[in-house]
Amino acid sequence: MASHFDIDLLMPAPMMPFVMERLDQAFRVHKLWLAADGDALLAEVSSRIRAIAAGGGAAVTADLMRRLPRLECVAGFGVGYDSIDVQWAGAHGITVTNTPDVLTEEVADTALALTLMAVRRLPQAERYLRAGNWLERPFALTPTLRGRTAGILGLGRIGKAIARRLAACGVPVHYHGRHRQEDVDLPYHATPVDLARAVDVLVVVTPGGVETRGMVDAAVLKALGPNGVLINIARGTVVDEDALIAALRDGTILGAGLDVFAHEPQVPQALLDLDNAVLLPHVGSATTYTRQAMGQLVVDNLVAWAQGRPVLTPVPETPIKVA
């Protein structure tokens, strides 16, 4: 099919079928994962590639971008973009986009559900019923959301949407971020440890990457305390998994609800073996409606760039701002 734009685009990993179809209609797409020899394909097309569509967790490294001298735009699928070296891209005049907003409410819904599941032990109760144990005796009484205080670690779009949901449940909310937000009327804490000490539900919503790697460590978990519950719907790398496993085993904290892990899709057996951990396979935004909206935003960003218009959702490190 002839390209609508006379532009070569690199797709390192598979994306949703309708995204691939629409990009195929608009660009000359080179699908790296289908090549028998990826290096040979890159050598053949590198001088022509002007854009990358990055989905499927594909890493867009400085080494890859350095091989593409005409690269101008990297369109990422997802609100997180720690798999893209945005610092290198920004320093070399390359625009990077992500897909915020369209997944905010879906991920916030998941965070609230995961909080209820972890605090009320709802997955454990279902397993108890399915095993036939209810025929012998009722499921044990559980902790409650009543009387708790929640802390949001990373009060961005998603963090604020989670805070609204928790407030509707009657749960007071505190927060920590890189800076106090003057327009936010919630208690602020200067460090993650300070926040954890003040709450008993800690919801991790901060971006991934080098700056936040291992931010939730043994000291934070100790501050959260034996009645505390950790919820992570951000990136697995933000939490020290070894410290978390130890804290769950020895009662340093009460429980955890995790949608993300350090080495997805590999989940440590030690976590799988813990009954006080609720584990989901990174489904925070995984509904048909939201993923289609995210995919369409990838397409829309690339088309806007190709037409010479401002991209719709540049990341803060990008050299091109929204008009």
Side-chain angles (χ1 to χ4, degrees), residues 152 155 160 163 172-175 180-181 184-189:
I152 306 291
L155 196 71
K160 289 173 181 173
V173 176
H174 298 209
Y175 78 102
R180 181 193 298 269
Q181 299 184 38
V184 171
D185 187 23
L186 296 174
Y188 174 78
H189 298 270

Side-chain angles (χ1 to χ4, degrees), residues 223-306:
L224 186 57
N227 194 42
V229 175
L230 177 74
I231 305 297
N232 189 6
I233 51 92
R235 286 288 186 267
T237 54
V238 179
V239 175
D240 181 334
E241 276 190 353
D242 290 337
L244 175 60
I245 290 167
L248 289 166
R249 278 176 171 165
D250 64 21
T252 297
I253 66 172
L254 182 66
L258 310 174
D259 187 41
V260 290
F261 305 90
H263 303 289
E264 298 176 8
Q266 303 298 322
V267 179
Q269 186 62 44
L271 272 178
L272 296 173
D273 291 341
L274 287 167
D275 188 56
N276 56 345
V278 177
L279 312 175
L280 300 179
H282 202 155
V283 295
S285 64
T287 67
T288 302
Y289 172 87
T290 294
R291 290 293 172 87
Q292 286 182 338
M294 292 166 64
Q296 186 60 52
L297 187 49
V298 171
V299 175
D300 292 344
N301 271 315
L302 284 165
V303 169
W305 162 78

Side-chain angles (χ1 to χ4, degrees), residues 185-202:
D185 187 23
L186 296 174
Y188 174 78
H189 298 270
T191 70
V193 169
D194 290 341
L195 176 64
R197 191 176 291 120
V199 304
D200 45 28
V201 175
L202 182 61

